[in-house]
Amino acid sequence: MQPNLVSYLALGGAIICEVAGSSFLHKSAQFTRLGPTAIMAMFYIASFYLLSVALKTLPLGIAYAVWGGLGTVLVALVSVVIFRQTLDAMAILGIAMIVGGVVIMNGFSHASH
């Protein structure tokens, strides 16, 4: 596999693990529930490990922006779908701006190449 493909796959895995970790953070009830707290910690450790793998070939600023941005979007979606929370128009606009920023960085910035 090409190094950039491996890095982007690792970054995708890091994002998924971060989203899962954040979901279990919510379920941990401020670390008062041992099971969800332990699972949260494992997902966060895996997320940071996979992010470090991605950083072998991806620039830190680009990788972190994609990790943070897409993680934020996905956590917001999980909060709506799984936790039945609501997003107002400004939250949706903000999420759209995050997605737009990630697309612009990856599609048009020379820093990501």
Side-chain angles (χ1 to χ4, degrees), residues 9-28:
L9 289 173
L11 184 57
I15 292 166
I16 291 168
C17 288
E18 190 272 330
V19 170
S22 294
S23 298
F24 278 97
L25 175 62
H26 178 74
K27 295 300 244 174
S28 75

Side-chain angles (χ1 to χ4, degrees), residues 24-109:
F24 278 97
L25 175 62
H26 178 74
K27 295 300 244 174
S28 75
Q30 295 79 42
F31 303 133
T32 59
R33 297 180 60 216
L34 182 60
T37 299
I39 294 169
M40 173 214 61
M42 289 187 307
F43 274 118
Y44 278 144
I45 289 167
S47 179
F48 280 109
Y49 171 75
L50 290 168
L51 181 60
S52 76
V53 171
L55 292 176
K56 287 181 181 178
T57 60
L58 298 176
L60 174 62
I62 299 298
Y64 192 81
V66 171
W67 180 72
L70 293 183
T72 299
V73 171
L74 292 175
V75 166
L77 291 174
V78 165
S79 74
V80 169
V81 173
I82 294 179
F83 299 119
R84 303 287 182 217
Q85 298 172 351
T86 58
L87 299 174
D88 62 14
M90 289 295 107
I92 293 168
L93 176 62
I95 289 169
M97 293 172 77
I98 291 169
V99 171
V102 170
V103 168
I104 289 169
M105 284 182 70
N106 281 290
F108 302 104
S109 171

